[in-house]
């Protein structure tokens, strides 16, 4: 076994450690920057005199990074939380309680990230399970612990602040910030997607519409009676994004709508400012929570529906292939049936060639060799079409004259007809229209019908087979009649079913395959008993076969 030199191995590991360390450093810097920025934004828009913000997105930033990149992000979360606590709350919260707030924030983020990883939440949020898991873990673990620590610290530092009321306000603000920010970070960083041009156009149009509506509602221009119902006009746009765009677009649009709504309310603008802190916070956050929930749930339902449709398509494709393989299993039994005639002809012509060569009849020998070659090609073409069917390929139709369809069949069957001493009368007018068919398939039908007729008249007197080709108003009709005993009446209803046979040594596949081939060309194969005795098989081929569907060159019904 080859091994790297020690110096190269050390160099390799140093390089890996250097790359991983640089990635960790960049992610940590990104986390601290985002955490500090959203924390500062939350404290800027704080209408409460005690410093309780309308929304607190910082916990959502920490949860997203720990979930995506692991526990290595916890030191950065601790640094960012300490900076925010030192700058904005140290005057209100005693130092010991401030340390407790940072520690509780770390515990909540670590516990939330651990649960989301352990329960295998997908960053794409494309399942309802992922949406409920994210909301449950965020509400209980991350936001619950952070709000508990924040309310406890403020209640200890300020005598006029009650813990129960403060915890409720902190929890609502923390949870609202988490559901606004965390889905955008998790989806963009954890499941990056390359957007196509049409998706970009939809995103720009939806962003423009949502930004315009939200800016108008929270600009303070409209009276509250108009601004309040107009604030719900963003819901249809979010719903449209959820069913037509990736989840990254949907969560970004909800984030934009939330930022505008919270910023406007923090500045004292919009329909929620006159309700007081408790009511405005509850009403605004309820509306934003409903907006986020609508986008996430609809997006997950849309993806689950698409995934179900894709699974159904794959199932149908597998089922179709299994059906083809099952049919191939049947055809393996009928391979001898299909190749028996050309192989028998090969043997007959080979024996004739030997006799003619011994007799020195070169002209007759040349004709026999030509028939030998034609029979070999026919056997090869039969195998080729069976392989094409197994691969799901469609055979190609071509315009052929009826004479060119009948003549190869007669040449192929002539040795067996002569050996059995069975006369065959052919009615083939000269002026017949051409048909668009797969020649080998129609020839195979004729061979099956004529061989069945030969078996039926064997040993009977008189023994006669007629083949009539005629042009009718509906197309080209071929009729095979014989003077045999006919078809047992009880067999007629199931005559064309696979493996339905009453002949000794028969497989019961010839007629089933023949009817499938004719129907694939847009025609129909029928059978009946003649009043004077014997049987008649008739099939027609449309002159214009644009509606034919020769997908199954060797399929069987049933």
């Amino acid at each position: 076994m080859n091994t790297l030199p020690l110096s190269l191995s050390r160099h390799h590991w140093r390089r890996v450690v250097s790359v991983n360390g640089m990635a960790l450093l960049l992610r940590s810097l990104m986390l601290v920057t985002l955490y500090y920025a959203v924390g500062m934004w939350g404290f800027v828009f704080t209408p409460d005199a005690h410093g309780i913000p309308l929304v607190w997105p910082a916990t959502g930033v920490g949860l997203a990074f720990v979930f995506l990149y692991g526990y290595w992000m916890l030191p950065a979360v601790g640094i960012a939380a300490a900076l925010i606590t030192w700058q904005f709350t140290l005057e209100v919260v005693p130092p010991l309680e401030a340390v407790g707030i940072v520690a509780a924030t770390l515990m909540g983020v670590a516990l939330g990230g651990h649960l989301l990883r352990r329960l295998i939440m997908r960053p794409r949020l494309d399942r309802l399970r992922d949406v409920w898991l994210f909301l449950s873990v965020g509400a209980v673990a991350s936001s619950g612990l952070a709000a508990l620590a924040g309310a406890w610290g403020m209640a200890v530092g300020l005598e006029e602040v009650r813990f129960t009321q403060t915890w409720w306000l902190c929890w609502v603000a923390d949870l609202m910030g988490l559901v606004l920010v965390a889905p955008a970070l998790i989806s963009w960083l954890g499941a990056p997607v390359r957007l196509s041009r049409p998706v970009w156009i939809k995103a720009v149009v939806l962003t423009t519409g949502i930004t315009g509506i939200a800016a108008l509602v929270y600009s303070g221009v409209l009276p509250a009676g108009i601004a309040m119902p107009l604030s719900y006009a963003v819901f249809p746009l979010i719903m449209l994004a959820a069913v037509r765009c990736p989840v990254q677009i949907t969560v970004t649009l909800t984030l934009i709508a939330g930022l505008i709504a919270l910023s406007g309310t923090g500045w004292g603008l919009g329909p929620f400012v006159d309700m007081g802190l408790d009511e405005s916070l509850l009403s605004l956050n309820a509306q934003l929570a409903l907006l986020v929930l609508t986008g996430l749930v609809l997006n997950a339902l849309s993806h689950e529906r698409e995934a179900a449709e894709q699974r159904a398509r794959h199932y149908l494709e597998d089922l179709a292939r299994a059906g083809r393989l099952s049919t191939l299993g049947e055809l393996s039994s009928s391979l001898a049936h299909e190749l028996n005639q050309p192989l028998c002809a090969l043997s007959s012509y080979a024996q004739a060639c030997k006799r003619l060569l011994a007799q020195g009849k070169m002209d007759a020998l040349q004709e026999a060799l030509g028939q030998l070659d034609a029979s070999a090609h026919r056997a090869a073409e039969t195998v080729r079409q069976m392989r094409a069917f197994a691969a799901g390929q469609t055979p190609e139709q071509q315009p052929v004259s009826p004479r060119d369809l009948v003549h190869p069949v007669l040449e192929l069957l002539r040795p067996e007809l002569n050996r059995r001493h069975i006369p065959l009368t052919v009615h083939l007018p000269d002026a017949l229209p051409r048909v668009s068919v797969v020649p080998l398939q129609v020839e195979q039908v004729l061979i099956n019908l004529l061989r069945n007729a030969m078996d039926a008249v064997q040993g009977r007197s008189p023994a006669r087979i007629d083949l009539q080709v005629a042009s009718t108003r509906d197309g080209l009709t071929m009729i095979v009649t014989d003077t045999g005993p006919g078809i047992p009446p009880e067999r007629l209803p199931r005559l064309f079913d696979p493996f339905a046979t009453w002949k000794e040594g028969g497989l019961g596949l010839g007629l089933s395959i023949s009817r499938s081939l004719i129907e694939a060309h847009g025609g129909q194969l029928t059978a009946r008993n003649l009043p004077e005795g014997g049987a008649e098989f008739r099939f027609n081929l449309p002159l214009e076969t644009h509606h034919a569907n020769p997908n199954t060159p060797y399929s069987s019904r049933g």
Side-chain angles (χ1 to χ4, degrees):
M1 181 177 65
N2 294 329
T3 58
L4 290 174
L6 183 59
S7 58
L8 291 179
S9 178
R10 289 177 177 175
H11 176 73
H12 171 74
W13 283 111
R14 287 174 183 172
R15 185 175 180 180
V16 171
V17 171
S18 176
V19 172
N20 291 339
M22 184 60 66
L24 177 62
L25 178 61
L26 292 177
R27 290 167 182 168
S28 299
L29 290 176
M30 183 188 304
L31 189 155
V32 172
T33 302
L34 286 175
Y35 196 105
Y36 186 81
V38 297
M40 186 171 58
W41 173 80
F43 275 112
V44 166
F45 302 109
T46 302
D48 180 55
H50 303 300
I52 301 176
L54 283 173
V55 65
W56 185 247
T59 305
V61 174
L63 176 64
F65 274 81
V66 171
F67 165 66
L68 293 174
Y69 305 120
Y71 303 120
W72 292 103
M73 294 289 102
L74 288 177
V77 175
I79 294 173
L83 287 175
I84 291 292
T85 304
W86 171 74
Q87 183 169 355
F88 293 102
T89 65
L90 198 59
E91 297 179 357
V92 180
V93 180
L96 184 60
E97 282 71 17
V99 173
I101 291 176
V102 175
T105 301
L106 284 173
M107 290 176 57
V109 168
L111 179 60
H114 171 74
L115 291 175
L116 294 181
R117 281 170 162 262
R118 183 69 180 269
L119 298 176
I120 314 177
M121 187 191 81
R122 294 180 183 175
R124 293 190 300 270
L125 298 172
D126 54 355
R127 301 176 300 179
L128 280 177
R129 173 186 179 277
D130 299 327
V131 174
W132 299 126
L133 181 61
F134 166 74
L135 294 176
S136 301
V137 170
V140 176
S142 300
S143 298
L145 285 176
L148 184 66
W152 170 72
M154 296 185 68
V156 171
L158 300 173
E159 295 181 356
E160 64 272 18
V161 174
R162 291 185 302 172
F163 171 78
T164 54
Q165 182 180 7
T166 305
W167 177 85
W168 164 254
L169 295 176
C170 290
W171 180 75
V172 171
D174 205 293
L175 179 59
M176 195 62 246
L178 184 142
V179 298
L180 276 177
V181 174
L185 291 176
I186 290 174
S187 60
W188 279 110
L189 297 177
V193 61
R194 187 172 182 178
L195 303 179
S196 61
R197 181 179 177 86
V199 174
W200 273 115
I201 294 175
K202 293 177 186 177
V204 171
V205 172
L206 291 171
T207 302
T208 303
I210 289 176
T211 304
I213 293 173
L216 181 62
V217 169
Y218 295 97
S219 63
V221 176
L222 301 176
I226 298 178
M228 179 63 76
L230 186 60
S231 65
Y232 290 90
V234 298
F235 276 79
L237 300 181
I238 294 296
M239 296 168 66
L240 180 62
V243 298
R244 294 295 181 88
C245 299
V247 66
Q248 290 84 351
I249 301 299
T250 304
V251 295
T252 302
L253 293 176
T254 56
L255 177 60
I256 291 173
L259 290 177
I260 295 176
L262 292 166
S263 299
T265 304
W267 277 321
L269 303 173
F272 295 98
V273 294
D274 297 330
M275 299 181 181
L277 176 62
D278 292 348
E279 292 187 10
S280 65
L281 179 63
L282 182 61
S283 301
L284 176 60
N285 285 338
Q287 186 189 73
L288 293 180
L290 185 61
L291 185 67
V292 172
L293 189 63
T294 300
L296 290 177
V297 170
L298 275 182
N299 192 277
L301 287 174
S302 177
H303 280 85
E304 286 188 346
R305 184 199 63 191
E306 293 176 359
E309 292 176 352
Q310 187 175 7
R311 287 194 301 270
R313 285 194 298 270
H314 290 166
Y315 174 77
L316 291 177
E317 291 172 0
D318 294 342
L319 190 62
R321 181 159 184 83
R324 289 199 300 268
L325 293 177
S326 176
T327 304
L328 281 178
E330 298 175 4
L331 294 178
S332 63
S333 302
S334 67
L335 184 59
H337 181 280
E338 303 300 325
L339 295 179
N340 179 61
Q341 196 60 42
L343 293 179
C344 287
L346 281 172
S347 176
S348 299
Y349 283 121
Q351 294 176 8
C353 289
K354 291 170 62 177
R355 291 194 303 269
L356 293 173
L357 181 61
Q359 296 171 5
K361 298 179 180 180
M362 294 297 108
D363 293 339
L365 177 61
Q366 184 176 4
E367 181 182 355
L369 287 173
Q371 296 297 334
L372 184 68
D373 180 69
S375 298
H377 278 82
R378 180 176 187 82
E381 181 64 15
T382 300
V383 174
R384 187 194 69 80
Q385 288 208 11
M386 291 183 70
R387 293 180 61 187
F389 164 68
Q393 300 175 2
T394 302
E396 182 180 357
Q397 293 186 353
Q398 55 185 339
V400 183
S401 68
R403 185 172 296 274
D404 292 336
L405 289 175
V406 174
H407 180 73
V409 175
L410 298 180
E411 292 297 325
L412 186 67
L413 294 177
R414 185 172 61 181
E416 187 172 358
L417 289 168
N418 293 336
R419 181 175 58 83
R420 295 192 184 190
H421 305 289
I422 299 175
L424 171 62
T425 304
V426 180
H427 305 275
L428 184 63
D430 293 330
L432 289 175
R434 296 164 69 89
V435 290
S436 180
V437 297
V438 181
L440 181 66
Q441 295 182 2
V442 180
E443 292 171 11
Q444 190 63 47
V445 174
L446 277 175
I447 291 173
N448 287 338
L449 298 180
L450 290 173
R451 291 188 74 248
N452 287 343
M454 292 163 61
D455 293 337
V457 302
Q458 182 70 36
R460 296 182 65 86
S461 181
R464 188 180 71 253
I465 301 174
D466 290 333
L467 171 60
Q468 182 178 355
V469 184
S471 177
T472 63
R473 182 178 60 182
D474 297 331
L476 187 72
T477 301
M478 294 189 179
I479 306 171
V480 176
T481 59
D482 61 64
T483 58
I487 305 167
E490 67 275 8
R491 299 283 185 175
L492 273 174
R494 302 188 59 189
L495 184 63
F496 295 99
D497 289 351
F499 304 107
T501 182
W502 67 92
K503 296 191 303 182
E504 184 177 354
L507 293 173
L509 289 173
L511 290 178
S512 175
I513 293 173
S514 297
R515 184 162 76 167
S516 295
L517 293 176
I518 295 302
E519 289 180 349
H521 284 81
Q524 187 177 9
L525 174 62
T526 59
R528 70 185 182 98
N529 287 321
L530 297 175
E532 64 273 15
E536 175 191 276
F537 287 83
R538 175 193 300 259
F539 68 87
N540 63 295
L541 297 172
L543 300 181
E544 296 292 336
T545 56
H546 58 274
H547 60 282
N549 182 28
N551 288 334
T552 54
Y554 288 94
S555 64
S556 61
R557 295 174 63 87

